[in-house]
Amino acid sequence: MGCPFNIPNDPSKRKFFSALGLIAAAVPMASMIPIAKVLGQDTDISPMTEGDPNTEPFLGAHQNGIAMPMQTNTSFASFDLTTTKRDDVVKLLRAWTDAAGRMTKGQQVQTIAQGASADYGDSGSSADAGEGDAADTLGLSPSRLTITFGFGQGLFVKNGVDRYGLAHQRPEALIDMPRFVSDKLLEGLTGGDLSVQACADDPQVTFHAIRELARLAYGTAELRWAQNGFTPKFGLSQTPRNLMGFKDGTINPSIKDPKATAKYIWVGDEGPAWMQGGSYMVVRKIRIALEHWDRMKLSFQEQTVGRYKISGAPLSGKNEKDPLDLNVKDADGNPLIPENSHVALAAPENNDGAQILRRGYSYDNNLSFTAERWPPWHQGMEFDAGLLFMCYQRDPRTGFVKIYERMSKFDMMNQFVTHIGSGLFACPPGVAQGEFIGQRLFS
């Protein structure tokens, strides 16, 4: 079968396809499904309805995909705005909002005529984005799809330029992320003007969402970096395990407690009006040296984490939800939970009560050449895998930054993990019918 579109010669546009290909690598090809011919206006060719149990509401006071049970798959993408026109940004956000509302209900973004093909020419106009939805999820359930949008620093000021007249609206909490001592950040995996996180219980559904939003952005924004993620389906009441085999997210604030979410997740009166009811997302791409970790004794792994691997209980307790007792000692007078263990350094008790909502996903990008940072300094092909760490908080200065500043220096886990990607995004509140995401920022 021939390629249904022409790949442009312009390197800047080839970047669009390269980043999409990075996401697509983990998604199996769907079977070919005929597409209904369009007569006149757009036609809804999806069988899904508003009452489908596999749908999550898109409209609401807060964006979906934050304070809710995690789905099993995610596709994250960061975009750089290429337009210099404020109106173009507004048009993009309107289009994204409409598309997200349709996709979360299992509907197609836009139908296309039977046999039509897209011609990605070199003009750079939005017309080059093709005729409509790729239809690769046609007939699939929306699988609890949620789509969460964020605004990076570049939307407000980039390279010292206020491109869209929004510099005065930049929240104080949308800071320049500090350079932590253990960071090995790659420029191509850091930052971005806009972010999108799609989560669902089907990897093809999440990729489809990012793919469609990237198509709608053509000529206005381009993909900067992207990453797929997955987490085991242990059940809504179970804490998922990461690739290191430990439960991840045990001490999250309760998403069922409005007081807890108001205190730790949602922006309050301290933020600008357009951000109140929103949240700040920190994303970190963390590579894990699985080969090194797998060679460690179980007892050392548990000392590193500060919890038992099987039960998830703290080393000072018996059950996963038992509170950390950082003062209890062993027979030799040493803390049962080492002071430089992962959980001890992250504990609210050691961070002035700071808490964040962790929504991390594992990732697996197959293999890559690696030079190990530990004896015997092995070099060779190893797993390119790790954690796509994502967390939401009311203020990153009193959330992630507060917690990770000490962890980056003293955490025993640092010998096994390397932070190679990073981003901070202001996720505005949810939308009502007829609004677009971030509308109050542009009003």
Side-chain angles (χ1 to χ4, degrees):
M1 173 182 283
C3 181
F5 48 75
N6 298 321
I7 303 295
N9 293 322
D10 187 341
S12 67
K13 294 178 183 177
R14 285 182 174 270
K15 181 181 177 183
F16 176 86
F17 292 92
S18 176
L20 274 180
L22 188 64
I23 310 176
V27 182
M29 181 176 292
S31 59
M32 298 299 291
I33 303 175
I35 304 172
K37 185 176 182 179
V38 176
L39 299 175
Q41 298 180 349
D42 289 349
T43 303
D44 181 8
I45 57 177
S46 168
M48 309 314 298
T49 64
E50 288 276 5
D52 187 88
N54 291 313
T55 62
E56 296 287 348
F58 177 69
L59 304 177
H62 309 293
Q63 286 200 68
N64 60 11
I66 301 177
M68 57 173 288
M70 288 177 58
Q71 302 94 316
T72 57
N73 298 90
T74 192
S75 291
F76 171 83
S78 168
F79 291 79
D80 283 333
L81 287 162
T82 57
T83 183
T84 59
K85 299 177 181 178
R86 176 182 173 128
D87 287 346
D88 288 347
V89 179
V90 171
K91 290 178 182 177
L92 174 61
L93 295 176
R94 286 186 183 277
W96 273 6
T97 303
D98 178 73
R102 293 177 62 84
M103 287 189 288
T104 54
K105 291 187 290 186
Q107 299 173 352
Q108 301 293 291
V109 174
Q110 184 180 349
T111 53
I112 62 178
Q114 177 73 33
S117 61
D119 181 12
Y120 288 85
D122 292 331
S123 67
S125 69
S126 58
D128 291 333
E131 295 300 321
D133 195 292
D136 55 309
T137 58
L138 186 63
L140 291 179
S141 160
S143 300
R144 299 178 54 234
L145 173 66
T146 59
I147 301 175
T148 311
F149 298 98
F151 300 156
Q153 299 172 16
L155 177 63
F156 301 90
V157 176
K158 191 162 189 176
N159 299 323
V161 179
D162 180 6
R163 295 181 290 174
Y164 312 118
L166 298 174
H168 67 290
Q169 292 274 43
R170 175 178 170 177
E172 292 183 3
L174 190 60
I175 59 172
D176 295 321
M177 285 286 281
R179 185 84 179 197
F180 298 105
V181 294
S182 60
D183 281 353
K184 302 292 182 183
L185 302 181
L186 303 175
E187 183 178 356
L189 297 175
T190 302
D193 301 337
L194 303 172
S195 72
V196 182
Q197 183 187 13
C199 299
D201 291 326
D202 186 324
Q204 182 138 325
V205 171
T206 63
F207 170 61
H208 171 82
I210 297 297
R211 178 184 180 186
E212 289 302 311
L213 297 176
R215 175 179 65 83
L216 293 172
Y218 197 72
T220 300
E222 62 182 9
L223 284 159
R224 179 176 178 87
W225 66 284
Q227 180 62 58
N228 284 325
F230 58 90
T231 192
K233 192 171 185 178
F234 287 114
L236 295 179
S237 61
Q238 301 296 314
T239 306
R241 295 181 184 271
N242 56 34
L243 294 182
M244 303 179 93
F246 282 79
K247 295 187 175 185
D248 197 339
T250 298
I251 61 172
N252 269 343
S254 174
I255 58 175
K256 298 180 180 179
D257 182 356
K259 292 183 178 179
T261 56
K263 182 177 181 179
Y264 298 113
I265 302 175
W266 308 125
V267 176
D269 295 341
E270 77 283 356
W274 68 267
M275 261 300 288
Q276 293 173 16
S279 189
Y280 291 93
M281 181 185 72
V282 172
V283 56
R284 306 281 284 185
K285 185 174 180 178
I286 306 172
R287 181 165 181 170
I288 303 175
L290 294 175
E291 291 85 353
H292 186 202
W293 178 255
D294 291 343
R295 293 195 294 267
M296 298 296 105
K297 293 182 178 180
L298 175 61
S299 59
F300 182 78
Q301 291 182 355
E302 293 178 336
Q303 289 285 306
T304 298
V305 176
R307 290 185 177 273
Y308 292 109
K309 192 170 190 177
I310 303 303
S311 68
L315 298 183
S316 60
K318 296 181 178 180
N319 302 302
E320 179 190 352
K321 298 297 183 179
D322 286 349
L324 299 177
D325 189 342
L326 301 175
N327 298 315
V328 64
K329 304 283 197 299
D330 62 18
D332 297 323
N334 299 312
L336 280 181
I337 301 178
E339 295 178 349
N340 58 346
S341 67
H342 188 72
V343 298
L345 289 169
E349 300 93 312
N350 286 333
N351 293 284
D352 299 325
Q355 290 197 58
I356 54 179
L357 179 65
R358 298 165 177 82
R359 286 180 60 89
Y361 287 83
S362 298
Y363 75 84
D364 172 19
N365 292 341
N366 301 316
L367 301 174
S368 65
F369 184 86
T370 301
E372 293 183 347
R373 296 185 292 136
W374 52 86
W377 321 110
H378 171 75
Q379 296 186 32
M381 299 300 290
E382 295 188 349
F383 291 116
D384 185 354
L387 178 67
L388 184 62
F389 175 88
M390 295 176 173
C391 68
Y392 291 88
Q393 59 253 280
R394 182 169 178 166
D395 189 324
R397 296 169 296 184
T398 56
F400 175 81
V401 174
K402 172 76 175 179
I403 296 170
Y404 189 65
E405 197 277 329
R406 290 176 64 243
M407 295 179 71
S408 68
K409 299 175 182 176
F410 306 118
D411 193 349
M412 291 173 64
M413 196 175 287
N414 289 340
Q415 61 189 300
F416 304 103
V417 302
T418 305
H419 290 233
I420 59 175
S422 179
L424 171 61
F425 300 92
C427 301
V431 295
Q433 188 69 45
E435 294 181 341
F436 66 89
I437 193 72
Q439 181 167 323
R440 280 185 282 176
L441 171 61
F442 292 88
S443 296

